[in-house]
Amino acid sequence: MKKVATTQDEGGLASATARRTVAPMPSVRPTRRAVTVASTIYRDLRSEIVSLKRKPGEPIAEKQIAEAYGVSRTPVREAVLKLADEGLIEIFPQSGTFVSRIPLDALPEAFAIRKALEEATVRYAAERATRSQIAMLRANLELQREMQETANYQGFHQADETFHALVAEIAGYPGFWTLIQQTKVQIDRYRLLTLPVRGRIAEVIAEHTAIVEALAANDAVAAIMALDAHLDDLQISVDDVRASYPRYFTAPGDPA
Amino acid sequence: MKKVATTQDEGGLASATARRTVAPMPSVRPTRRAVTVASTIYRDLRSEIVSLKRKPGEPIAEKQIAEAYGVSRTPVREAVLKLADEGLIEIFPQSGTFVSRIPLDALPEAFAIRKALEEATVRYAAERATRSQIAMLRANLELQREMQETANYQGFHQADETFHALVAEIAGYPGFWTLIQQTKVQIDRYRLLTLPVRGRIAEVIAEHTAIVEALAANDAVAAIMALDAHLDDLQISVDDVRASYPRYFTAPGDPA
DNA sequence: CGTATAATATTAATATATCACTTTAGAATG
DNA sequence: CATTCTAAAGTGATATATTAATATTATACG
């Protein structure tokens, strides 16, 4: 039944087995999950989906991707499964794999989660922020203004994300931002689809500035209020959008 | 039966080849990700790790698990990768895979995340709770008391989890609880290891009752206070525990 | 001409095989 | 006896093949 490596196996079964019964105790482990083909494909695919380069509802052909990368389907599958866990890809067994439609009815909840998590970060940050950390935030604000002046929308978005990450780091809980990013994905796709780089940058910077001032004053309440104002501006108007891109969304109450 | 839009693709350009250029439009999809071997193994493994049946640091032999289930290594690998994403398993390339040690230094942050999310749920729940929903909570409290009387700790834990899930559902955001459960995993392992079924059940029920009363009165502030008291009681005393089970934890500052 | 049915093909899910690397035990050497 | 080198075995990562189920297409029948 089982043909192991053709060589002699030591007859005593119990005695020989214990090769590594116990764990690798804390030593300098090299790299955990190094850059592998699967991780590369994962990153690429994710980026293409979030940037809407791959449209919601579009089929995903594992074989084709595998050929494009010159690899087998195994690493592709690993990436696809991971994306399916994140809700960016939907797998219908024996039918096909597709880029997820944006679950409109789940967006308000995702937004509420983001709000809850970010409020916590600004509260902690207001309590703990040091002068040097406030200075880092101000430096980031300056960067945002530069991006505005040079009309570098891509760069502004990057700086915007860094701003929120910084707040979480100042709060002492960088993991908050990691989690926020995960829950934010569908919202990002939605916003990218609905408002094509609206000129709201000036307002966003003003709102960011208000948050920083509140943090600098160690005023948690004011910081939360400023954050709420910031987030509410990004709020969602689910209504009439579905009409324009009906096939990009799942109807409320349809599939979960 | 359902003959929906068979062969009408709107863009009449490449009419010939494209077999499925566009997506499966919302119809009653049978099962997405049905019960598969991989999902079964995933659930089993996860349960064994969370229940500490598999000790932190213990090696995981893919081949052995595959043989135990009578399957190949592929579905096992799928399950292992998913668990690695959750942080329950650590994969060291070309070395081995092991049950994760409990990351002590990450526990405070996980706890803060849980607190932020649960506070949000009780706030929303206090605003929205209907009388029938309050009644459901009271029924759950009764169930908790029954479990206490029959000394059914397993059942109590189950009811406890249901209580928090109910609160999230009343808040209108059941996804909050899903997320909380994910972040809670390492904390659960820690608590299972440190306090073996302490007789805190009576206090827990009292705290749960206080939360329900505040929700019934639509008093968000009181509800949050009651929740904080509840969670603070579960708080972590990271200090002296590491001494007793040193190999079950990762040192602060060690590997992330 | 429309509907039901059978044939076909696509694809997810799983099985099996191979490769590369690392760890570790044993042999050879000083 | 200690140290270093070498070979074996285990494991992760990837490749290739097979199976089973579904949807699509073609075909036959009313």
Side-chain angles (χ1 to χ4, degrees):
Chain A
M1 46 155 61
K2 216 56 208 174
K3 121 179 350 197
V4 212
T6 67
T7 49
Q8 83 297 348
D9 76 45
E10 33 275 271
L13 64 162
S15 60
T17 50
R19 191 182 85 93
R20 166 88 74 63
T21 70
V22 81
M25 227 12 208
S27 62
V28 264
R29 279 279 161 181
T31 56
R32 171 170 43 183
R33 292 297 275 153
V35 274
T36 174
V37 186
S39 66
T40 304
I41 297 175
Y42 165 76
R43 259 182 270 278
D44 291 354
L45 269 182
R46 186 189 155 92
S47 159
E48 290 171 10
I49 293 174
V50 174
S51 69
L52 293 183
K53 200 169 153 190
R54 289 180 185 268
K55 310 295 184 203
E58 191 178 304
I60 290 184
E62 285 187 11
K63 194 158 68 180
Q64 174 188 326
I65 295 174
E67 287 171 6
Y69 280 87
V71 298
S72 84
R73 281 180 44 204
T74 307
V76 178
R77 178 133 252 266
E78 184 177 328
V80 165
L81 286 172
K82 200 167 170 181
L83 289 167
D85 281 339
E86 289 184 56
L88 288 176
I89 280 182
E90 284 175 315
I91 300 175
F92 298 101
Q94 274 75 45
S95 172
T97 308
F98 305 88
V99 177
S100 291
R101 290 203 182 74
I102 300 171
L104 274 190
D105 51 342
L107 289 189
E109 180 159 17
F111 209 85
I113 291 175
R114 174 180 184 180
K115 194 171 168 181
L117 291 174
E118 288 231 51
E119 282 181 357
T121 61
V122 296
R123 184 183 307 125
Y124 290 122
E127 295 169 0
R128 301 176 187 176
T130 66
R131 287 194 304 279
S132 65
Q133 290 172 325
I134 297 294
M136 285 190 65
L137 284 177
R138 292 222 166 91
N140 175 269
L141 286 178
E142 213 50 60
L143 180 63
Q144 292 177 37
R145 294 195 194 93
E146 287 174 13
M147 294 301 169
Q148 178 190 27
E149 290 164 9
T150 58
N152 183 346
Y153 300 111
Q154 175 74 24
F156 177 77
H157 183 252
Q158 183 68 43
D160 185 353
E161 301 263 304
T162 304
F163 176 82
H164 291 272
L166 273 175
V167 173
E169 195 175 317
I170 292 172
Y173 298 133
F176 270 75
W177 180 242
T178 310
L179 194 56
I180 291 169
Q181 276 185 307
Q182 288 171 19
T183 53
K184 212 164 64 75
V185 171
Q186 301 289 10
I187 297 177
D188 286 343
R189 290 209 297 163
Y190 172 88
R191 299 199 63 238
L192 195 59
L193 191 66
T194 53
L195 35 108
V197 197
R198 204 168 88 199
R200 240 183 54 80
I201 292 185
E203 296 158 28
V204 168
I205 292 179
E207 291 159 1
H208 283 168
T209 306
I211 295 174
V212 173
E213 292 314 313
L215 292 181
N218 292 106
D219 188 340
V221 176
I224 290 178
M225 283 183 56
L227 174 75
D228 284 352
H230 179 44
L231 292 182
D232 286 345
D233 261 6
L234 308 180
Q235 198 61 276
I236 300 172
S237 56
V238 169
D239 305 319
D240 47 13
V241 196
R242 206 176 313 151
S244 26
Y245 302 91
R247 58 183 350 119
Y248 282 6
F249 304 101
T250 59
D254 206 45
Chain B
M1 205 62 163
K2 50 181 176 195
K3 224 40 158 147
V4 192
T6 41
T7 335
Q8 51 169 46
D9 72 60
E10 53 268 276
L13 60 166
S15 56
T17 53
R19 188 185 84 92
R20 166 86 75 64
T21 72
V22 81
M25 225 17 203
S27 62
V28 263
R29 280 278 163 182
T31 56
R32 171 170 41 185
R33 294 295 277 151
V35 273
T36 173
V37 186
S39 67
T40 303
I41 296 176
Y42 165 76
R43 259 182 270 278
D44 291 355
L45 269 183
R46 187 189 154 92
S47 159
E48 291 171 10
I49 293 173
V50 174
S51 68
L52 293 183
K53 201 170 153 189
R54 289 180 186 267
K55 310 295 183 202
E58 192 177 302
I60 289 184
E62 285 187 10
K63 193 158 71 179
Q64 174 188 325
I65 295 174
E67 288 172 6
Y69 281 87
V71 298
S72 83
R73 278 176 51 194
T74 306
V76 177
R77 178 133 251 268
E78 183 177 323
V80 166
L81 285 173
K82 200 167 171 183
L83 290 167
D85 281 340
E86 290 184 55
L88 289 176
I89 280 182
E90 284 175 314
I91 299 175
F92 298 102
Q94 274 71 44
S95 174
T97 61
F98 306 88
V99 177
S100 292
R101 291 203 183 72
I102 300 172
L104 274 190
D105 52 341
L107 290 188
E109 180 160 17
F111 209 86
I113 291 175
R114 176 182 181 177
K115 192 171 169 181
L117 292 175
E118 288 231 50
E119 282 182 358
T121 60
V122 296
R123 184 182 308 123
Y124 290 122
E127 295 169 0
R128 301 174 186 177
T130 67
R131 286 194 304 279
S132 66
Q133 290 172 327
I134 296 293
M136 285 191 64
L137 283 177
R138 292 224 165 90
N140 176 270
L141 286 178
E142 213 50 61
L143 180 61
Q144 292 178 36
R145 293 195 195 94
E146 286 173 14
M147 293 301 169
Q148 178 190 27
E149 290 165 8
T150 58
N152 184 345
Y153 300 112
Q154 174 74 25
F156 177 78
H157 183 253
Q158 183 68 43
D160 186 352
E161 301 263 303
T162 304
F163 176 82
H164 291 272
L166 272 176
V167 173
E169 196 174 318
I170 292 172
Y173 297 132
F176 269 75
W177 180 241
T178 310
L179 194 57
I180 291 170
Q181 276 185 310
Q182 287 171 19
T183 52
K184 212 164 64 75
V185 171
Q186 301 289 9
I187 297 177
D188 286 343
R189 289 209 298 163
Y190 173 87
R191 300 198 63 239
L192 196 58
L193 190 67
T194 52
L195 35 106
V197 196
R198 205 169 87 198
R200 241 183 54 78
I201 292 185
E203 297 158 27
V204 169
I205 293 179
E207 290 160 3
H208 282 170
T209 306
I211 295 174
V212 173
E213 291 315 311
L215 293 181
N218 293 106
D219 188 338
V221 177
I224 290 178
M225 281 184 56
L227 174 75
D228 284 351
H230 180 44
L231 292 182
D232 286 346
D233 261 6
L234 307 180
Q235 197 62 274
I236 300 172
S237 57
V238 169
D239 305 318
D240 47 12
V241 196
R242 205 177 313 151
S244 27
Y245 302 93
R247 58 183 348 119
Y248 282 7
F249 304 101
T250 60
D254 208 45

